[in-house]
Amino acid sequence: MKHRFPGAITALLLATMLFSLVPAFPVSDGQESSTCTLVIGYSQVAQWYLSTPFETKVNNATWELMYVNGAGVEFWGDPRINFTGTIRSPCAVNPRAPDRVVYSISGGQGNNVSEWVEGIKNVTRNIHTDLPTVKQILLQPVVGGIGSATNTFLHAWGVQTCPNPPNDYTNGVRASRQYPFILQAINIVAGENSTDDIVIGATTEVRDCSDYRDSTGHLTVNASQYFGGWLGDYYASLDAGLLPPSVPPPPLPLPDPEPTPATWY
C-alpha cells in the first residue's frame, strides 16, 4: 500500500511494516496459540470486529472485544479502569483472564510522538497490572492513513491527510493525520521492549479516503466489512503459526457515498 510521508517518517513506517511481518505470537517449538485474546479499543474497532467477516475468520471461541466509545490512550491508561467493562462475544474459556491482548491505539495526542509513547506505555502497564494472565500485548494502530487516495492535502504537521468527508480540507480526518505518529510511537515502544511480551500487531491503512465516514475516522459499512475480513485473516494466520499477509488483498469495489447516520456507536 502507498505511504506518502516525508523521508524520516517514511523510513520509520517501512521499518514498522517490515517488523510487523514477523508472527507476533509464535506457535512453534511447543508453544501453544492463545486460548483467549482480548481486543481493546473504541468505536472504530467495534466497527471492524463486530462485522460478519472478522468473527468468522478467527476462532470466535478464543476471541473477545472490550470497547468504549472515544476511548483513547488517556482512557485505557488510567489506572482506575481495571478492565472490568462489558465484554462482547466473550471467550469460551476464562473470558476475564485472557492470555493475549490486541490493543488498538487512538487518542488525542496529535503529532506528539513522545506523548503517544507515554500513553501506550501507561496502557500496557495497566494491562499487565490488572490482567496478570496476559502473556503478550500486540500494538495495533487505528485504521488510518490515506491509502491510494489522490484527493489528499498536506497538513500543517507535514503529512498527507484525507479531507473531512466529503471535501472539507480545513483540518482533515483525525485518524488519517495521526496515523504516522502512532506508528512511530508503536515502533519505539516495541523496540524498547527487551522481551516478546509487547510487539507490533497488524498495521492497516484505508484503501482510499472514501473509506472514512466522518472527521474522526469512523469507517463506512463497506470498509468495516473489508477490514474486518482482512484483520480476521491476519490474526487467523497468526494463530495458526503462519506468516500473516503483509498487505490487504485487492480491494473490493468502493460503494457510492453512504448517508451520514443520526448516531454512532
Side-chain angles (χ1 to χ4, degrees):
M1 302 188 77
K2 298 181 181 179
H3 296 278
R4 304 177 185 178
F5 306 112
I9 293 177
T10 300
L12 282 166
L13 294 184
L14 289 174
T16 299
M17 293 300 291
L18 287 173
F19 187 77
S20 70
L21 302 186
V22 179
F25 202 87
V27 295
S28 59
D29 299 326
Q31 182 175 355
E32 297 181 357
S33 60
S34 171
T35 58
C36 183
T37 298
L38 171 64
V39 178
I40 296 173
Y42 34 89
S43 52
Q44 191 208 66
V45 174
Q47 286 186 285
W48 58 255
Y49 187 102
L50 297 176
S51 70
T52 301
F54 183 82
E55 292 196 290
T56 60
K57 299 278 189 177
V58 298
N59 180 358
N60 193 36
T62 63
W63 282 77
E64 60 187 17
L65 169 68
M66 182 182 294
Y67 82 97
V68 175
N69 296 335
V73 294
E74 310 92 338
F75 180 86
W76 297 115
D78 188 327
R80 297 170 295 180
I81 293 304
N82 298 322
F83 300 99
T84 56
T86 301
I87 294 178
R88 303 295 182 97
S89 187
C91 293
V93 178
N94 297 325
R96 289 291 177 181
D99 55 15
R100 181 173 64 180
V101 164
V102 173
Y103 171 50
S104 184
I105 299 162
S106 186
Q109 281 60 40
N111 64 341
N112 192 322
V113 176
S114 62
E115 288 190 4
W116 283 114
V117 169
E118 180 182 3
I120 294 170
K121 287 181 176 180
N122 287 340
V123 177
T124 58
R125 187 180 304 114
N126 279 355
I127 292 171
H128 281 313
T129 299
D130 297 329
L131 300 171
T133 53
V134 170
K135 301 174 184 176
Q136 192 169 64
I137 303 170
L138 282 72
L139 304 177
Q140 176 177 309
V142 63
V143 177
I146 60 173
S148 60
T150 58
N151 61 326
T152 61
F153 69 101
L154 185 64
H155 191 271
W157 294 345
V159 295
Q160 289 294 327
T161 302
C162 285
N164 293 344
N167 291 299
D168 180 357
Y169 292 85
T170 305
N171 203 28
V173 175
R174 188 179 77 162
S176 176
R177 67 177 182 267
Q178 291 193 147
Y179 179 73
F181 306 103
I182 295 173
L183 283 183
Q184 289 182 62
I186 289 174
N187 196 52
I188 291 170
V189 174
E192 290 179 354
N193 187 48
S194 59
T195 65
D196 66 349
D197 65 322
I198 300 176
V199 297
I200 299 172
T203 52
T204 307
E205 187 171 333
V206 293
R207 300 165 291 179
D208 182 89
C209 291
S210 60
D211 278 341
Y212 292 122
R213 195 162 189 170
D214 57 24
S215 61
T216 303
H218 288 105
L219 303 171
T220 64
V221 172
N222 178 274
S224 298
Q225 294 174 344
Y226 174 74
F227 289 111
W230 182 77
L231 286 165
D233 283 334
Y234 182 98
Y235 286 114
S237 297
L238 198 85
D239 286 344
L242 304 174
L243 189 67
S246 59
V247 295
L252 300 171
L254 291 169
D256 294 332
E258 300 175 8
T260 302
T263 59
W264 267 110
Y265 286 86

